[in-house]
């Protein structure tokens, strides 16, 4: 009897946990949709968040390096922490310039990835040749479009990517939470198939 009650409590806790996961997913989906509408605000927000993460990570890394003084890790940890702190300060103070630099990097990355996919697909000619060429052409076109309108494209590219990441992560959490609640319900007997009564 006690074991049955314990299982019921565990099932209830799992059910509630998956429900909270689904709610978090809905919040992320809404944030992603808002970010896609207001991409300039999303870009600024993502850059400030990135800068603060660099700064906090640098401070934590510096504290770890100080704790490890006297070891071979000390100076490497200090240098890496100092670089993270400096980069965080620069991004927080100049978020628009940092966004422009990251947008340029993303455009060059798309260009190189597109060229690599196209050339590699034509040389190897594997079973997925058409799909590889399509992805390569898409990457190349995206890189050209971003680079062609740079630096004005930096106002929306980073924000759009950030918002899309929030949107897809949120959809994944919603699917996980909903599926988890269904599985817990089936295992615990809620909503599961009712036993057939003998005639």
């Amino acid at each position: 009897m006690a074991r049955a009650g314990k299982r019921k409590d565990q099932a209830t806790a799992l059910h509630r946990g998956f429900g909270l996961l689904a709610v978090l997913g809905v919040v992320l989906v809404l944030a992603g949709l808002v970010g896609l509408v207001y991409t300039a605000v999303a870009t600024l927000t993502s850059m400030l968040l990135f800068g603060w993460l660099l700064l906090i990570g640098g401070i934590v890394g510096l504290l770890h390096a100080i704790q490890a003084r006297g070891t071979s890790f000390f100076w490497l940890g200090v240098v890496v922490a100092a670089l993270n702190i400096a980069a965080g300060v620069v991004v927080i103070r100049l978020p628009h310039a940092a966004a422009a630099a990251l947008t340029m990097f993303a455009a060059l990355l798309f260009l190189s990835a597109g060229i690599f996919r196209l050339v590699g697909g034509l040389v190897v000619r594997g079973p997925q040749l058409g799909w590889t060429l399509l992805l390569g052409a898409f990457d190349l076109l995206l890189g050209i479009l971003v680079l062609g309108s740079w630096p004005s494209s930096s106002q929306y590219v980073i924000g759009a990517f950030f918002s899309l990441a929030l949107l897809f992560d949120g959809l994944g959490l919603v699917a996980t939470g909903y599926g988890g609640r269904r599985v817990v319900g089936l295992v615990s007997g809620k909503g599961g198939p009712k036993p057939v009564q003998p005639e």
Side-chain angles (χ1 to χ4, degrees), residues 5-129:
K6 185 176 181 181
R7 286 180 180 175
K8 185 177 180 181
D9 292 340
Q10 290 175 345
T12 303
L14 282 174
H15 204 262
R16 187 181 299 113
F18 280 117
L20 292 175
L21 202 64
V23 170
L24 177 61
V26 171
V27 172
L28 290 181
V29 168
L30 293 176
L33 292 174
V34 171
L36 288 175
V37 175
Y38 302 100
T39 51
V41 176
T43 296
L44 182 61
T45 303
S46 61
M47 294 312 303
L48 291 175
L49 179 62
F50 180 56
W52 279 109
L53 287 176
L54 283 174
L55 183 60
I56 295 172
I59 294 173
V60 172
L62 185 60
L63 293 176
H64 280 298
I66 292 173
Q67 290 178 350
R69 61 184 179 274
T71 66
S72 57
F73 168 78
F74 174 69
W75 287 111
L76 177 62
V78 169
V79 170
V80 172
L83 289 175
N84 283 336
I85 291 173
V89 171
V90 169
V91 172
I92 292 171
R93 289 179 60 86
L94 302 169
H96 295 292
L102 280 180
T103 303
M104 171 68 77
F105 177 75
L108 294 176
L109 194 64
F110 281 126
L111 286 174
S112 59
I115 294 172
F116 180 79
R117 286 181 191 272
L118 290 173
V119 173
L122 292 174
V123 170
V124 177
R125 293 187 177 273
Q128 303 292 331
L129 176 62

Side-chain angles (χ1 to χ4, degrees), residues 1 22 25 38 50 59 68-69 76 82 85-86 89 92 97 144 151 155 157 170 177-178 187 190 195 197 199:
M1 193 75 177
Y38 302 100
F50 180 56
I59 294 173
R69 61 184 179 274
L76 177 62
I85 291 173
V89 171
I92 292 171
I144 292 173
Q155 297 179 6
V157 169
Y178 179 72
V187 171
K190 298 176 181 178
Q197 297 292 335
E199 296 181 0

